[in-house]
């Protein structure tokens, strides 16, 4: 086990940064540091970000469009270390990323609904299709009916317990 040099706590899964000495830190600790600095907190050497050897901003943008999750995971690094023109390209691609995430979330909600209509209770309102809304209404009616039946059944049970005493 290693100790994080920033918080001094022993931890697993410390993240190595790409300074010449490859120092390791908790990801939360180093992210907080890197918001305001672009060097290693221990050796003060500049941190080199592996940009997957992009030759140009266009190569980077094309890569991001092919792998939005990689883009999202690494956005905080890009903003800190990329040249200004690359940072601007990151900002330009953000709406595409949001559209992609929305589409994937909709697909996931639709698939969950296809597998089990009762998942409609957990699907966010803005992701529900008209069919989902209709099914949800019917499920609510069923739930209300079952609830009434249970209440009546409970009342009958309670009354039947006291009938022998009359």
């Amino acid at each position: 086990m290693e100790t994080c040099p920033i918080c001094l706590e022993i931890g697993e899964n410390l993240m190595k940064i790409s300074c010449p000495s490859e120092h390791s830190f908790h990801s939360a600790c180093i992210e907080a540091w890197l918001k305001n600095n672009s060097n290693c907190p221990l050796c003060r050497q500049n941190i080199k970000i592996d940009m997957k050897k992009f030759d140009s901003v266009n190569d980077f943008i094309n890569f991001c469009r092919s792998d939005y999750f990689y883009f999202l995971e690494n956005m905080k690094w890009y903003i800190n270390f990329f040249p200004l023109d690359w940072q601007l390209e990151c900002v330009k691609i953000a709406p595409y990323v949001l559209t992609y995430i929305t589409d994937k979330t909709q697909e996931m909600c639709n698939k969950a609904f296809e597998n089990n209509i009762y998942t409609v209770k957990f699907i966010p309102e803005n992701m529900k299709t008209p069919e989902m809304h209709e099914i949800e209404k019917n499920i609510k009616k069923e739930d209300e009916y079952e609830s009434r039946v249970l209440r009546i059944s409970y009342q009958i049970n309670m009354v039947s317990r006291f009938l022998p005493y009359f």
Side-chain angles (χ1 to χ4, degrees):
M1 293 229 183
E2 294 181 77
T3 302
C4 173
I6 294 177
C7 67
L8 303 177
E9 290 183 12
I10 295 173
E12 294 180 12
N13 302 326
L14 295 181
M15 186 175 93
K16 283 186 180 182
I17 60 171
S18 58
C19 67
S21 303
E22 293 189 334
H23 292 119
S24 298
F25 307 91
H26 288 121
S27 60
C29 294
I30 193 64
E31 285 173 14
W33 170 264
L34 291 174
K35 283 182 182 175
N36 299 314
N37 304 282
S38 62
N39 57 9
C40 172
L42 285 180
C43 66
R44 302 291 185 190
Q45 295 292 316
N46 282 336
I47 297 173
K48 297 176 185 91
I49 298 301
D50 174 20
M51 298 189 304
K52 294 200 175 227
K53 300 177 184 163
F54 300 117
D55 293 328
S56 70
V57 69
N58 289 333
D59 289 346
F60 166 69
I61 294 300
N62 289 333
F63 175 78
C64 288
R65 286 190 173 134
S66 69
D67 190 347
Y68 285 138
F69 289 111
Y70 178 87
F71 174 77
L72 286 174
E73 278 182 22
N74 294 287
M75 177 57 117
K76 57 187 166 268
W77 299 100
Y78 298 150
I79 295 302
N80 284 329
F81 298 103
F82 276 8
L84 183 59
D85 58 334
W86 285 47
Q87 291 179 23
L88 293 173
E89 292 302 323
C90 288
V91 171
K92 288 178 188 175
I93 199 173
Y96 298 106
V97 175
L98 294 174
T99 301
Y100 174 80
I101 291 170
T102 302
D103 292 346
K104 287 298 176 189
T105 304
Q106 186 67 59
E107 285 176 28
M108 198 170 49
C109 291
N110 293 345
K111 189 68 173 168
F113 179 73
E114 286 173 20
N115 291 334
N116 182 348
I117 61 170
Y118 291 97
T119 58
V120 75
K121 295 177 181 179
F122 307 104
I123 295 175
E125 284 299 316
N126 62 330
M127 294 288 164
K128 290 180 184 170
T129 63
E131 178 189 8
M132 290 178 188
H133 283 293
E134 193 60 37
I135 297 279
E136 186 176 36
K137 286 179 192 173
N138 292 336
I139 289 173
K140 284 180 182 176
K141 287 178 186 173
E142 287 175 13
D143 289 348
E144 289 171 8
Y145 176 77
E146 286 176 22
S147 177
R148 274 190 251 135
V149 168
L150 285 174
R151 277 197 310 269
I152 292 170
S153 148
Y154 175 75
Q155 290 169 349
I156 291 171
N157 190 8
M158 293 303 290
V159 169
S160 65
R161 285 186 181 174
F162 293 107
L163 278 178
Y165 300 111
F166 290 106

